[in-house]
């Protein structure tokens, strides 16, 4: 849509999310990023210019977002959730823009996973409640590459003193709120919430940068009025981040179905991480039986020897498998196979949940009955306050740290390692009531 790259260039795109209190400048920054990276077509720039002039302003970059949002609502833009821009280094996808209002819910329920986050803060208004809430949720999701942007520096006369004061406040906030998610394998779950030791949270907050989204200072280019700042621009900061490396991860192949084709049993699914080689030894989880890959089947492709992350394929094994099995590599790091999961959930249903009520746990192609056995802590994400410890229920729009007890073992990973295997949905009576992630 808004990308200007050659179709022949291979990009590893980095999904980012842009968050912040309303009016702190998200739309303006997105418009600015698209404009400064040459991702907006000339006719769109002209439109923005005309719309801005009509309201007596210079370039109002937030119009770019308004325009995309309008297109989205009228159903013009085909792929609504993908807004791209590119630097010389790589392509970026801004998650849930335009119309990024639902992003928190989307992120918590796991429909979108950002690898890096830009958190905007209005230099005049300072830290607001929503700023704190966003810090909290970014931390809970385990996003490790965060840049705080102190925006509207033009409105405070590019004051270094004010920037320093806000930086101190933000650093303090992060050290209180954010704990680093445990690394894979998630054998011993630890609390991922506030009040955990600060020592667990190195390097989450990567940079704090003074910017003016409206005038483009420190976005793609520097500004003399901010020459006292010797850190990176927004684009430099983003380019310093790492891209996800799903391909090199251990194999995760959730079995979707098994079809009899020409006398063979073909096991169908999508490779969520890693790769599969013909002849390779696999394990069929949760039982753990070993098997080897006899053939890799793909429509109109003969004699395949390898299949990679993201591919939907059929497999013939020398052992039977069923829907809900997870095939993993015999030699690389194994996932957790467990009947008890410690996780963070976001309660979406209007009705509260009472401890012990039956729920269905769904992760990848797995579906197992169970219940929430422990509600360690309930949080109100608006205030980031613990509502209650060792609670008996979870209410609408609350976040809770819980233990889910299942009737049969399931195969899961840390959300940060392999997103698809670390997020889940809870259902009650056939309706989704909560989304969750395994830290
Ligand atoms: P959002 O609600 O976070 O998307 O905020 P917007 O991008 O819509 O910005 C809110 C208002 O702040 C708009 O009127 C913008 O023009 C203005 N604004 C955004 N960035 C800057 C900036 O760097 N300097 C100044 N002076 N105004 C800005």
């Amino acid at each position: 849509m808004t990308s200007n790259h050659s179709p022949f260039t291979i990009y590893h795109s980095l999904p980012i999310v842009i968050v912040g209190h309303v009016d702190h400048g998200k739309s303006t920054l997105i418009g600015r990023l698209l404009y400064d990276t040459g991702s907006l077509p000339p006719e769109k720039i002209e439109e923005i210019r005309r719309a801005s002039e009509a309201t007596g302003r210079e370039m109002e970059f937030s119009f770019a977002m308004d325009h995309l949002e309008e297109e989205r609502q009228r159903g013009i833009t085909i792929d609504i959730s993908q807004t791209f821009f590119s630097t010389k280094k790589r392509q970026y996808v801004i998650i849930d823009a335009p119309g990024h209002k639902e992003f928190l819910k989307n992120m918590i329920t796991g429909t979108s996973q950002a690898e890096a986050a830009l958190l905007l803060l209005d230099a005049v208004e300072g830290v607001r409640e929503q700023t704190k809430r966003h810090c909290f949720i970014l931390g809970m999701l385990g996003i490790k590459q965060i840049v705080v942007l102190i925006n509207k520096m033009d409105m405070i006369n590019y004051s270094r003193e004010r920037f320093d004061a806000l930086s101190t406040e933000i650093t303090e906030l992060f050290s209180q709120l954010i704990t680093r998610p445990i690394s894979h394998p998630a054998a011993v779950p630890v609390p991922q919430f506030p009040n955990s030791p600060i020592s667990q949270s190195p390097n989450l907050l990567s940079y704090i940068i003074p910017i003016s989204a409206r005038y483009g200072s420190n976005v793609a280019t520097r500004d003399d009025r901010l020459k006292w700042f010797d850190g990176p621009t927004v684009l430099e900061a983003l380019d310093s981040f790492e891209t996800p490396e799903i391909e090199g991860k251990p194999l995760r192949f959730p079995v979707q179905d098994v079809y009899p084709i020409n006398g063979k049993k073909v096991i169908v699914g999508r490779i969520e991480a890693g790769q599969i080689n013909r002849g390779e030894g696999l394990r069929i989880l949760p039982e753990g039986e070993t098997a080897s890959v006899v053939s890799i089947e793909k429509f109109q492709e003969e004699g395949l020897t390898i299949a990679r992350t993201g591919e939907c394929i059929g497999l013939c094994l020398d052992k039977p498998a069923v829907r809900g099995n997870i095939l993993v590599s015999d030699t690389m790091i194994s996932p957790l196979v467990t009947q008890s999961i410690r996780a963070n959930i976001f309660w979406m249903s209007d009705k509260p949940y009472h401890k012990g009520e039956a729920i269905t746990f769904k992760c990848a192609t797995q579906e197992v009955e169970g219940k929430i056995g422990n509600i360690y802590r309930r949080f109100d994400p608006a205030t980031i306050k613990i509502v209650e410890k060792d609670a008996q229920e979870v209410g609408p729009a609350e976040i809770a740290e819980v233990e889910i007890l299942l009737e049969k073992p399931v195969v899961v990973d840390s959300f940060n390692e392999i997103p698809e295997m670390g997020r889940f949905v809870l259902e009650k009576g056939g309706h989704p009531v909560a989304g969750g992630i395994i830290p």
Side-chain angles (χ1 to χ4, degrees):
M1 175 180 65
T2 44
S3 75
N4 65 340
H5 61 83
S6 145
F8 304 109
T9 318
I10 296 168
Y11 280 90
H12 296 285
S13 63
L14 188 85
I16 62 169
V17 68
I18 300 180
V19 299
H21 190 83
V22 63
D23 280 346
H24 282 205
K26 296 177 294 295
S27 302
T28 308
L29 178 70
I30 294 169
R32 185 40 98 171
L33 285 166
L34 298 179
Y35 180 75
D36 285 359
T37 53
S39 310
L40 287 174
E43 58 285 2
K44 197 147 276 176
I45 297 172
E46 196 41 48
E47 250 170 62
I48 300 168
R49 198 183 304 281
R50 273 204 304 271
S52 306
E53 272 169 13
T55 59
R57 279 177 274 189
E58 305 154 55
M59 282 297 269
E60 176 60 63
F61 286 99
S62 63
F63 285 169
M65 273 291 100
D66 295 347
H67 187 81
L68 291 175
E69 172 68 10
E70 212 176 281
E71 281 188 358
R72 187 181 74 94
Q73 283 174 359
R74 299 213 317 263
I76 297 168
T77 309
I78 298 156
D79 194 346
I80 53 154
S81 60
Q82 308 272 288
T83 301
F84 295 106
F85 66 89
S86 311
T87 61
K88 279 203 194 85
K89 181 165 176 189
R90 65 171 157 236
Q91 189 181 61
Y92 293 89
V93 183
I94 306 175
I95 291 178
D96 280 347
H100 45 153
K101 298 183 185 79
E102 282 285 283
F103 90 94
L104 284 181
K105 194 169 158 191
N106 290 347
M107 285 175 76
I108 294 168
T109 56
T111 47
S112 46
Q113 162 70 340
E115 290 295 327
L118 301 178
L119 172 64
L120 275 159
L121 189 62
D122 184 319
V124 182
E125 286 206 10
V127 173
R128 302 292 297 267
E129 203 165 78
Q130 210 172 10
T131 319
K132 292 186 189 170
R133 185 188 321 186
H134 289 162
C135 287
F136 174 78
I137 290 170
L138 293 176
M140 186 188 106
L141 291 168
I143 293 178
K144 291 173 220 146
Q145 312 185 104
I146 301 174
V147 187
V148 172
L149 304 174
I150 313 277
N151 189 30
K152 308 192 188 180
M153 288 300 291
D154 54 289
M155 290 179 75
I156 56 159
N157 207 15
Y158 306 92
S159 159
R160 181 177 192 166
E161 288 69 33
R162 174 79 178 143
F163 173 77
D164 286 344
L166 286 171
S167 297
T168 308
E169 196 179 343
I170 274 286
T171 310
E172 178 77 4
L173 186 64
F174 267 83
S175 66
Q176 280 170 13
L177 290 180
I178 292 179
T179 57
R180 192 184 176 84
I182 48 171
S183 57
H184 182 86
V188 190
V190 295
Q192 294 309 304
F193 278 94
N195 312 328
S196 302
I198 292 163
S199 59
Q200 287 184 46
S201 65
N203 306 325
L204 278 173
L205 178 55
S206 305
Y207 306 100
I208 305 177
I209 308 176
I211 68 162
S212 166
R214 176 179 283 176
Y215 299 105
S217 319
N218 277 346
V219 178
T221 51
R222 279 165 224 287
D223 184 324
D224 265 357
R225 290 166 292 194
L226 291 169
K227 62 171 178 279
W228 46 262
F229 177 73
D230 55 11
T233 61
V234 178
L235 290 182
E236 285 166 353
L238 285 174
D239 277 352
S240 77
F241 288 153
E242 288 165 18
T243 33
E245 238 226 80
I246 284 287
E247 191 73 19
K249 299 232 162 156
L251 172 70
R252 299 292 183 260
F253 184 84
V255 176
Q256 233 155 49
D257 264 308
V258 183
Y259 297 109
I261 300 173
N262 302 334
K264 293 189 281 192
K265 286 222 155 118
V266 181
I267 298 164
V268 178
R270 180 179 187 273
I271 305 179
E272 296 298 349
Q275 54 185 45
I276 295 181
N277 297 286
R278 192 168 66 196
E280 181 182 355
L282 300 181
R283 278 196 303 132
I284 305 171
L285 296 181
E287 285 80 12
E289 179 146 25
T290 51
S292 69
V293 181
V294 178
S295 66
I296 301 172
E297 314 273 332
K298 215 172 170 184
F299 185 60
Q300 290 186 336
E301 285 186 52
E302 299 277 312
L304 282 178
T305 56
I306 187 166
R308 298 190 164 83
T309 307
E311 287 189 72
C312 295
I313 55 161
L315 286 180
C316 290
L317 302 184
D318 61 353
K319 298 271 171 56
V322 294
R323 176 181 165 84
N325 280 157
I326 310 292
L327 308 183
V328 304
S329 152
D330 202 13
T331 51
M332 290 173 86
I333 305 169
S334 298
L336 195 65
V337 180
T338 180
Q339 277 179 261
S340 141
I341 294 168
R342 191 148 178 164
N344 301 330
I345 61 167
F346 176 67
W347 196 257
M348 294 185 288
S349 167
D350 303 339
K351 298 198 188 78
Y353 175 86
H354 303 278
K355 199 164 105 174
E357 284 173 359
I359 41 109
T360 309
F361 174 90
K362 288 184 160 183
C363 172
T365 56
Q366 309 173 96
E367 194 173 326
V368 175
E369 301 305 313
K371 63 179 180 187
I372 296 177
N374 276 302
I375 303 168
Y376 299 115
R377 297 196 259 191
R378 284 166 68 192
F379 289 86
D380 175 359
T383 55
I384 324 168
K385 293 260 162 48
I386 296 176
V387 177
E388 193 183 2
K389 289 186 184 173
D390 286 323
Q392 295 301 310
E393 64 172 59
V394 194
E398 281 178 359
I399 289 173
E401 189 190 30
V402 299
E403 183 185 37
I404 299 167
L405 303 173
L406 300 168
E407 289 173 6
K408 288 192 292 187
V410 290
V411 182
V412 293
D413 282 282
S414 155
F415 176 70
N416 281 285
E417 291 298 321
I418 302 175
E420 207 54 46
M421 299 298 301
R423 62 177 160 221
F424 59 85
V425 170
L426 300 179
E427 286 188 359
K428 220 166 159 264
H431 301 288
V433 287
I437 56 169
I438 299 160

